[in-house]
Amino acid sequence: MHPGLIITISVVLQFVAAFFAVRLIWITKRYTSWILISSAVILMGVRRSITLYRIFSGDITRPPDLSAELVALTISCLMLSGIIWIAPLFYSIKRSHEAIAKSETQYRNLFNNAYDAIYVIDPTTYNILDCNVKAGRMVKYGIDELKNMSFLDINQPRCRDTIINALKAINEKSANSEIPEVYQKTKDNKLIPVEIFASMVNIENKIVCLLDVHDISDRKIAEKERLRAEERLASFGQILEDSVNEIYIFDAITLKFIQVNRKARENLGYSMNQLKELNPMDIEPELTKGAYSKLIEPLQTGEKDNIVFTTVHQRKDQSLYDVEAHIQRITFKTIPAFVAIILDITERKQMEKELLKTQKLESVGILAGGIAHDFNNILTAILGNTELAIMLSGSDSKVNGILKNVESASLKARALTQQLLTFSKGGEPVKKTIVISGILKEFVEFPLRGSNVKAEFDVSEKLWPIDADEGQINQVISNLAINAQQAMPQGGVLNVKAVNLHEQDLEKIPSLKQKEYVKISFTDNGIGISNALLPKIFDPYFTTKQKGSGLGLASSYSIVKNHGGLITVESELDVGASFHIYLPASSTKTVKNDSKKDDHLYGGGRVLIMDDEEDIRDMANKSLSHIGYEVECAVDGIEAIELYKRSKVLDNKPFDVVILDLTIPGSMGGEETIKKLKEIDPAVKAVSASGYSNSPVMANFEKYGFNGCIAKPFKIKEINKLLIKIIKA
């Protein structure tokens, strides 16, 4: 074999051996020894490489000894084999070290993240060898501090003997044990109730005691709560008995009543012994046993803690009342049971019904408000022109009677639109302080004239005044009088009673918020109203009469509500009906009596009329001019302002009164116009006029700068009377 080939193989083996030796530096982390070995092997390889180079370059005088090179090759083979053989051993050692490190990390994580405090202590000296993070947090010491302490140091002194005896017993028996309840002492001297689970373990060939310390503070609190609950349960009978609400306790299996308080017994009319023979379905006629079982099923299964529902309770005398039931599951004297707290919601249901009525009326109000303005504008022209024609025709004219019929029909149409307006927000009352006792008899007897119904009055002598729209209150009283007359077709007596109500008289009527009210009652002995129809009588357009419009009671309800009052009804078939009106008493207790009348139909002064309807401008111009006024007209606010400026500044003939229509579609209306006129002339006298408006101007005209208001359609006599009053003021 050629010496060069042998040397080549030897060099390769030596460099391979050097490669593995270098790898073992990083695997074993024994840097010094393996660096020396790998350096020696590399130098041997370099030396042999030099010899190999000289052979192939011919720079050698004597050929290498073949036997010596074979020995060198053998050494290289043995060196490589040794390194390759020892490498897996070092790999295995590395993996073992990594596994141990990983195991220690996992142990330390479990140890430090344990829910309980864990201590490793010497079983003879009780010194703390190790502890987890929770241990430090519990007693408020650092871990390093604890490692320099005895386990006994962090326990209440009176508990130490208990702990020592328990640990000695565990050490002797090498068994697990539990120390039921002791108190650990924190760094700030607070005591924590704990229970300790102890066991002997071997760690690194040393027997130590492992303590699992469990904080039982929450359990102690729960125990105290349980004791308090038991105490409350002991006195529960008295609390239950004295409750202002109905309370029932009934068996969760049989549903039979176990305990029922005084309030429930009084409301139902049963004795305790009678109730113990009953179950909830016996007093709740709306619910069958199947329906009730389904209702309380979430409580039985634990899906819910409590349930709430509304139902009806039936008294022993078969009368009904609305209730809201709150039921939850309890243990009563070791018996699984339900407790039901019952709230009487009769008043709440009544208020909900009132709200529903209001919502119905408001929906009609949208329709009423939409048509009232246009209809009243038309009626204003018809009524005004008819009245003017009557004045011009003379009393002996043949057409005078016909014109008066037209006027009468127009007034009836006005009354109908006024009823419609009470449903809308535009029908706000124009209030003044009135003494209802002075006009009640007149308002009741007028619609009863010519009928076979007699009115009898019982009116308190010192009846309080009220703040009200006299015309609207007249409408309410007339509607109720007509309703009573129609309920007694064969004749009868309508009893009218008016009294003052003080705060203590209003406790059972929660919807009345003021302290003083005037109550007016209308009681007839007519046919009565059935229970089925009673909830509907205040609904718009609801009537059982062939000639009825269905607006009388509905408009009465709206009027009273707009006055801050309440109207109620009670009735029995073939016995009669009673309607009760509650109106807030006025803060003004004395009212001046102004009975002076002025029916003359003449006037004088300059009047500016602003209205977008040509028919109304023409009628008002002719009518007021006929009775002595000097009239100019404007179609909107812009023209009215220009006319007012011209008459005051240029012509030096200012207007005495300005009549402004509140609603001018697409242009300046009365409310904005009066502001502009006040800037020109702060002393301007103005009247607001409207067939309908959402604005509160008509009800509070003075607040907006007006001296008076007139509702469309109006008669010439009405507007003339208002003009005279304002001009003379």
Side-chain angles (χ1 to χ4, degrees):
M1 182 178 290
H2 193 278
L5 179 60
I6 295 172
I7 294 172
T8 300
I9 295 171
S10 179
V11 169
V12 171
L13 291 175
Q14 286 172 355
F15 278 114
V16 171
F19 170 77
F20 281 108
V22 171
R23 287 283 295 160
L24 287 171
I25 293 173
W26 309 111
I27 293 171
T28 63
K29 306 298 183 184
R30 298 181 182 277
Y31 300 107
T32 303
S33 57
W34 282 105
I35 286 174
L36 291 173
I37 293 170
S38 58
S39 298
V41 175
I42 290 171
L43 288 173
M44 289 173 63
V46 170
R47 177 179 173 277
R48 304 303 296 161
S49 297
I50 293 171
T51 303
L52 183 64
Y53 171 77
R54 293 175 64 192
I55 291 172
F56 285 110
S57 64
D59 185 22
I60 188 167
T61 57
R62 184 167 58 89
D65 187 353
L66 184 60
S67 60
E69 294 304 328
L70 287 172
V71 170
L73 177 62
T74 303
I75 292 170
S76 297
C77 289
L78 291 172
M79 185 185 300
L80 178 61
S81 299
I83 292 173
I84 292 174
W85 178 82
I86 202 171
L89 178 61
F90 281 109
Y91 272 114
S92 177
I93 292 171
K94 181 185 178 183
R95 284 195 295 270
S96 296
H97 287 168
E98 290 175 347
I100 291 169
K102 184 178 179 182
S103 176
E104 286 184 355
T105 301
Q106 290 176 339
Y107 161 76
R108 184 55 60 179
N109 286 337
L110 290 171
F111 185 69
N112 282 325
N113 294 321
Y115 178 77
D116 291 337
I118 299 176
Y119 296 84
V120 179
I121 69 169
D122 188 305
T124 55
T125 65
Y126 312 120
N127 290 332
I128 299 172
L129 305 176
D130 198 4
C131 64
N132 67 350
V133 174
K134 180 62 181 286
R137 288 176 183 167
M138 187 183 293
V139 293
K140 300 181 181 178
Y141 283 101
I143 293 176
D144 291 336
E145 288 180 285
L146 288 171
K147 288 181 180 180
N148 293 317
M149 297 171 66
S150 168
F151 183 71
L152 300 178
D153 294 337
I154 58 172
N155 288 276
Q156 190 181 24
R158 68 182 181 86
C159 299
R160 290 174 184 172
D161 289 342
T162 303
I163 295 171
I164 290 170
N165 293 333
L167 292 178
K168 283 181 178 179
I170 295 167
N171 192 18
E172 290 171 2
K173 298 178 182 178
S174 296
N176 299 338
S177 183
E178 177 184 348
I179 305 173
E181 184 180 327
V182 291
Y183 285 85
Q184 286 203 326
K185 186 176 67 174
T186 66
K187 191 174 184 178
D188 55 3
N189 291 319
K190 291 182 179 178
L191 297 178
I192 303 172
V194 298
E195 58 185 10
I196 302 173
F197 300 91
S199 59
M200 306 302 292
V201 295
N202 188 327
I203 298 178
E204 296 179 352
N205 296 320
K206 183 178 180 181
I207 301 298
V208 295
C209 187
L210 184 68
L211 302 179
D212 184 328
V213 180
H214 180 63
D215 185 346
I216 59 172
S217 299
D218 291 342
R219 187 199 302 171
K220 296 289 286 184
I221 292 170
E223 286 177 1
K224 287 180 181 178
E225 287 297 321
R226 181 180 59 80
L227 291 173
R228 288 197 193 103
E230 289 177 354
E231 290 173 3
R232 287 196 298 267
L233 186 60
S235 60
F236 178 71
Q238 192 60 44
I239 297 172
L240 180 148
E241 187 69 7
D242 295 338
S243 174
V244 296
N245 294 315
E246 297 179 27
I247 300 179
Y248 302 81
I249 298 176
F250 53 98
D251 192 296
I253 307 301
T254 66
L255 301 183
K256 291 282 188 181
F257 289 126
I258 302 171
Q259 189 74 31
V260 180
N261 75 340
R262 183 190 303 114
K263 182 71 174 180
R265 298 196 302 271
E266 289 174 354
N267 273 2
L268 294 174
Y270 290 104
S271 68
M272 187 67 244
N273 289 335
Q274 290 173 321
L275 283 166
K276 284 185 176 181
E277 299 299 319
L278 304 178
N279 59 50
M281 287 74 72
D282 294 320
I283 62 170
E284 296 175 5
E286 291 184 348
L287 295 173
T288 63
K289 186 172 182 180
Y292 201 86
S293 297
K294 188 173 182 180
L295 198 63
I296 62 174
E297 185 178 354
L299 296 177
Q300 298 275 30
T301 59
E303 181 183 341
K304 291 183 179 179
D305 294 328
N306 62 78
I307 58 171
V308 180
F309 61 92
T310 58
T311 184
V312 173
H313 271 192
Q314 186 176 57
R315 299 184 179 93
K316 189 177 181 179
D317 62 6
Q318 305 302 303
S319 61
L320 304 174
Y321 60 103
D322 294 301
V323 298
E324 182 178 85
H326 297 250
I327 303 179
Q328 66 183 73
R329 184 158 186 163
I330 63 168
T331 299
F332 183 74
K333 296 179 180 178
T334 72
I335 300 172
F338 294 109
V339 59
I341 300 175
I342 305 299
L343 309 180
D344 188 336
I345 58 171
T346 304
E347 291 181 359
R348 190 175 86 191
K349 284 288 187 180
Q350 289 174 347
M351 293 179 71
E352 288 173 356
K353 289 175 183 176
E354 290 296 322
L355 179 61
L356 182 60
K357 288 177 190 174
T358 302
Q359 290 171 340
K360 289 180 180 178
L361 293 174
E362 286 177 352
S363 65
V364 175
I366 296 171
L367 172 64
I371 65 172
H373 177 267
D374 292 340
F375 191 43
N376 276 336
N377 277 341
I378 296 169
L379 276 178
T380 301
I382 294 172
L383 184 60
N385 281 304
T386 302
E387 194 175 4
L388 178 61
I390 291 172
M391 288 189 290
L392 294 173
S393 66
S395 58
D396 296 330
S397 172
K398 292 181 180 180
V399 297
N400 189 272
I402 298 172
L403 291 171
K404 286 190 174 181
N405 288 338
V406 175
E407 181 185 37
S408 176
S410 298
L411 291 173
K412 288 179 181 178
R414 180 173 75 170
L416 183 61
T417 57
Q418 282 303 115
Q419 285 188 322
L420 282 172
L421 273 172
T422 59
F423 297 124
S424 70
K425 293 180 181 178
E428 286 192 55
V430 181
K431 295 180 182 178
K432 65 179 182 179
T433 304
I434 60 175
V435 181
I436 194 69
S437 58
I439 55 178
L440 182 60
K441 187 174 182 181
E442 178 187 347
F443 287 174
V444 171
E445 289 183 342
F446 183 80
L448 296 180
R449 287 175 185 171
S451 72
N452 52 0
V453 173
K454 178 184 177 183
E456 293 184 355
F457 297 88
D458 179 9
V459 180
S460 173
E461 291 183 2
K462 296 182 179 180
L463 197 67
W464 293 322
I466 60 173
D467 294 325
D469 185 317
E470 186 173 333
Q472 290 189 4
I473 295 300
N474 181 9
Q475 185 180 331
V476 173
I477 294 172
S478 297
N479 283 338
L480 293 177
I482 292 169
N483 190 72
Q485 183 262 324
Q486 292 174 341
M488 298 183 286
Q490 306 303 320
V493 176
L494 172 61
N495 291 294
V496 182
K497 184 176 181 179
V499 295
N500 296 326
L501 293 182
H502 296 81
E503 187 175 7
Q504 60 268 25
D505 303 318
L506 303 168
E507 292 178 353
K508 294 185 178 180
I509 313 175
S511 57
L512 297 180
K513 304 301 182 184
Q514 291 191 195
K515 294 183 177 180
E516 296 178 338
Y517 283 81
V518 173
K519 178 184 178 182
I520 310 170
S521 300
F522 300 81
T523 303
D524 64 62
N525 54 0
I527 57 177
I529 307 167
S530 69
N531 289 332
L533 297 179
L534 208 56
K536 302 178 182 179
I537 62 169
F538 293 115
D539 290 354
Y541 304 111
F542 176 80
T543 181
T544 57
K545 307 177 183 74
Q546 291 182 351
K547 295 184 179 181
S549 66
L551 291 175
L553 290 178
S555 61
S556 298
Y557 179 90
S558 281
I559 290 171
V560 173
K561 183 177 179 297
N562 287 341
H563 279 76
L566 176 69
I567 182 169
T568 63
V569 61
E570 52 195 41
S571 181
E572 188 176 341
L573 276 177
D574 301 324
V575 175
S578 292
F579 288 83
H580 306 287
I581 302 172
Y582 301 85
L583 294 169
S586 173
S587 57
T588 305
K589 298 303 181 186
T590 57
V591 182
K592 292 181 180 179
N593 183 17
D594 185 12
S595 59
K596 184 179 178 181
K597 289 188 177 181
D598 188 1
D599 292 332
H600 61 270
L601 195 57
Y602 61 87
R606 283 177 51 76
V607 179
L608 172 61
I609 298 172
M610 183 193 83
D611 200 294
D612 61 314
E613 293 288 339
E614 184 179 356
D615 291 342
I616 294 176
R617 294 196 304 273
D618 183 61
M619 177 276 298
N621 190 351
K622 290 177 181 177
S623 299
L624 293 178
S625 297
H626 178 74
I627 60 175
Y629 292 96
E630 186 179 342
V631 182
E632 288 193 45
C633 296
V635 71
D636 59 17
I638 297 171
E639 185 180 357
I641 292 168
E642 290 300 319
L643 288 174
Y644 194 89
K645 282 181 181 178
R646 188 189 68 194
S647 67
K648 183 173 178 63
V649 179
L650 298 178
D651 300 342
N652 198 25
K653 294 174 63 179
F655 290 105
D656 295 296
V657 182
V658 180
I659 301 173
L660 303 175
D661 186 12
L662 289 179
T663 307
I664 305 292
S667 189
M668 187 187 297
E671 187 176 347
E672 188 177 354
T673 302
I674 188 63
K675 292 178 183 177
K676 301 289 185 182
L677 291 177
K678 286 283 185 181
E679 294 174 3
I680 299 168
D681 180 8
V684 63
K685 294 180 179 180
V687 174
S688 62
S690 180
Y692 170 76
S693 174
N694 282 330
S695 170
V697 175
M698 294 294 285
N700 301 283
F701 57 84
E702 290 177 334
K703 180 180 176 182
Y704 293 87
F706 292 95
N707 301 85
C709 68
I710 188 81
K712 297 179 183 179
F714 50 78
K715 296 182 68 176
I716 301 302
K717 289 181 180 179
E718 294 169 348
I719 190 67
N720 180 50
K721 184 177 179 180
L722 180 61
L723 291 174
I724 291 171
K725 178 182 175 182
I726 292 174
I727 292 171
K728 287 183 176 180

